Amino acid sequence: MIAAISWRNVWRTRLRSLVIIMAIAIGLTGGVLSVGVFNGLAEQKMRTAIDTQTAHIQIHQKGFTDDYDIHYFLKNPDNILSVIEMDNRIKAYSTRTISELMIRTANGSAGVQLLGINPEAEKSISTIWESVVDGAYFEGIKRNPILISQKTADKLKVRVKSKIILSLLDTDGNAVDAGFRVVGIFKTSSSMFDEATAFVRQEDLQRLTLMEGVNHEIAIKVNDPEEVTPVIADLKSNLSEDLQIESWKEVQPELAYISDMTGQMNFLFLGIILFALAFGILNTMLMAIFERVKEIGVLMAVGMNKMKIFLMIVFETIFLALIGGFIGIIISASLIIWLGNQGINLSVVGEGLAAYGVGQIIYPQLSGAFYLQLILMVFFTALFSSIYPAIKALKLKPIEAIHG
């Protein structure tokens, strides 16, 4: 009965109720959309990093990543690969030989990290081959092909089939200069990665550095990202202790920070919005109480106990908040689904996004669990907002209230 009375009371002043309902709906829609865009940015950055740079897991000799000394190469790589191949949770892997060097042309020079890769194996763990915007992915040039980024090509003023010189050190510490031809030019959504990375065939780099058959890195992709931690645990138990086996979060700690902080930031942001909306709800309910002083006084005089009056005010507040909350969630969920398919074109700030490591098209996304948690947040916001107006109502004295 109390709930039915409260529901009727909500619609006694339709305009005021509709105003607060729409305020809640619009506030939640804006907040949820902002959270969806932020989630899309974070997810795209992590996905780009995994697909182009880190894979899910990397294996190095301990000490290699301290200064990328080519002498810290993997011992017994065949044993490592046999353990990897036995694990059916691992989708694919690729070996890499790595050297930090200078690329030179008549127009300038650039320092890069050169990855010697097996082009076919690399396709299974990296999307670099899909990012080629000019030329081809190691096709068309037989001798010493090199794949460079658009930023490097612009800096050195070269194009496909241009000749460039690689200056590096071999294992004996001798300086080596070698001529390579640009087989293709790639462009990813991360300008920092593009500027610092180039690719050659693994066999070519091994030949130049006098390190035939030497690998510095094994990059691994798993079938289910949730299995990264148990896979690493098994690899560590089955392989030598002098190996450094890391997840993508350990390889790039800033990605781990983004991943861990995204959920917390989402609810902090929505919490601030709901806290602001709580004052609007509280104000509306106080006005409703002041307008119905005589009515509440009569209810008290005829014997309605204080708990029922308290519940009546609480139910009214919860009805207002939940109606506005459901409308806001339906609108925002529909927009998130639509924009998640269409994307939001932010090419106006494309350079800034590229520096952050994401593309110009952002795809907002939110999980179903997020909306369930949001409904709970709206409910508790309404409960919090109802307490003060309800206490105000309980403090009324029946005789004084009846007389206005």
Side-chain angles (χ1 to χ4, degrees):
M1 183 184 72
I2 298 299
I5 293 172
S6 299
W7 177 257
R8 285 197 296 269
N9 287 339
V10 167
W11 302 110
R12 288 171 62 177
T13 312
R14 288 179 179 273
L15 181 59
R16 185 171 59 210
S17 296
L18 288 173
V19 167
I20 192 62
I21 286 171
M22 292 312 299
I24 295 169
I26 292 170
L28 280 182
T29 299
V32 171
L33 276 177
S34 299
V35 169
V37 171
F38 182 74
N39 271 7
L41 280 168
E43 178 65 24
Q44 188 174 340
K45 181 175 176 61
M46 289 184 285
R47 187 171 59 249
T48 298
I50 291 170
D51 289 343
T52 61
Q53 303 172 45
T54 65
H56 288 127
I57 302 170
Q58 288 188 1
I59 301 178
H60 304 99
Q61 193 71 21
K62 282 185 177 178
F64 175 72
T65 54
D66 293 340
D67 55 10
Y68 291 92
D69 187 334
I70 61 174
H71 296 92
Y72 287 91
F73 54 85
L74 295 171
K75 311 294 193 301
N76 300 319
D78 292 338
N79 179 51
I80 300 172
L81 296 180
S82 65
V83 172
I84 292 173
E85 289 171 352
M86 290 174 60
D87 195 327
N88 56 18
R89 294 169 297 180
I90 293 176
K91 179 180 179 181
Y93 67 88
S94 180
T95 59
R96 296 167 175 171
T97 304
I98 302 174
S99 179
E100 295 192 331
L101 47 75
M102 293 294 295
I103 295 178
R104 295 186 289 109
T105 69
N107 299 307
S109 62
V112 299
Q113 184 179 78
L114 190 66
L115 300 183
I117 61 171
N118 179 324
E120 286 305 312
E122 194 71 18
K123 280 185 177 182
S124 62
I125 65 160
S126 168
T127 58
I128 287 296
W129 66 281
E130 296 177 346
S131 303
V132 175
V133 294
D134 193 9
Y137 178 74
F138 292 101
E139 294 177 0
I141 295 178
K142 294 183 178 180
R143 180 174 173 79
N144 289 354
I146 184 171
L147 189 68
I148 63 174
S149 70
Q150 183 72 64
K151 288 187 76 70
T152 302
D154 293 342
K155 183 178 181 179
L156 301 180
K157 297 181 175 61
V158 296
R159 56 187 180 181
V160 174
K161 296 187 178 179
S162 293
K163 184 177 181 180
I164 60 178
I165 304 298
L166 271 57
S167 298
L168 66 158
L169 297 176
D170 63 21
T171 53
D172 297 329
N174 300 316
V176 177
D177 284 349
F180 278 70
R181 288 198 180 274
V182 178
V183 68
I185 296 173
F186 69 89
K187 183 179 181 181
T188 71
S189 56
S190 175
S191 60
M192 293 179 65
F193 171 78
D194 288 0
E195 195 169 5
T197 313
F199 298 86
V200 296
R201 290 183 305 208
Q202 191 173 40
E203 60 199 55
D204 293 335
L205 182 56
Q206 290 174 344
R207 185 181 67 253
L208 291 174
T209 55
L210 305 179
M211 302 187 76
E212 299 290 340
V214 167
N215 301 309
H216 294 114
E217 178 177 288
I218 299 176
I220 298 171
K221 275 273 189 84
V222 297
N223 292 308
D224 183 358
E226 299 296 326
E227 295 180 332
V228 168
T229 300
V231 168
I232 289 177
D234 289 345
L235 289 174
K236 286 182 176 179
S237 65
N238 293 319
L239 296 174
S240 172
E241 292 183 357
D242 63 351
L243 293 176
Q244 186 173 323
I245 306 173
E246 299 175 302
S247 69
W248 58 272
K249 290 184 177 182
E250 295 169 300
V251 175
Q252 292 197 2
E254 68 275 11
L255 295 179
Y257 177 79
I258 292 172
S259 176
D260 295 338
M261 289 298 294
T262 297
Q264 299 175 38
M265 291 299 295
N266 288 348
F267 289 107
L268 176 62
F269 182 71
L270 281 175
I272 293 171
I273 291 176
L274 288 172
F275 185 72
L277 289 174
F279 285 97
I281 299 171
L282 187 149
N283 181 65
T284 299
M285 292 309 301
L286 278 177
M287 291 297 296
I289 297 300
F290 292 148
E291 287 180 355
R292 290 154 47 196
V293 167
K294 289 185 178 181
E295 177 186 322
I296 293 172
V298 170
L299 291 174
M300 288 180 172
V302 297
M304 180 177 279
N305 62 46
K306 291 186 176 182
M307 178 55 69
K308 288 183 179 179
I309 292 174
F310 181 86
L311 289 176
M312 182 179 70
I313 305 301
V314 170
F315 280 141
E316 286 183 40
T317 311
I318 289 174
F319 285 147
L320 278 172
L322 288 182
I323 293 169
F326 277 118
I327 293 173
I329 289 172
I330 291 170
I331 294 172
S332 58
S334 301
L335 288 173
I336 290 289
I337 293 171
W338 183 71
L339 291 173
N341 293 323
Q342 300 295 320
I344 302 174
N345 191 332
L346 298 177
S347 55
V348 177
V349 290
E351 289 188 15
L353 291 174
Y356 178 68
V358 297
Q360 298 179 359
I361 307 296
I362 305 300
Y363 298 92
Q365 60 177 26
L366 287 172
S367 65
F370 171 84
Y371 292 107
L372 293 176
Q373 293 167 334
L374 181 58
I375 291 172
L376 288 176
M377 289 178 70
V378 171
F379 174 81
F380 284 110
T381 299
L383 197 61
F384 167 77
S385 303
S386 67
I387 293 174
Y388 182 68
I391 291 174
K392 272 289 195 182
L394 295 181
K395 286 183 177 180
L396 295 174
K397 295 180 180 179
I399 295 177
E400 293 179 0
I402 292 171
H403 289 286

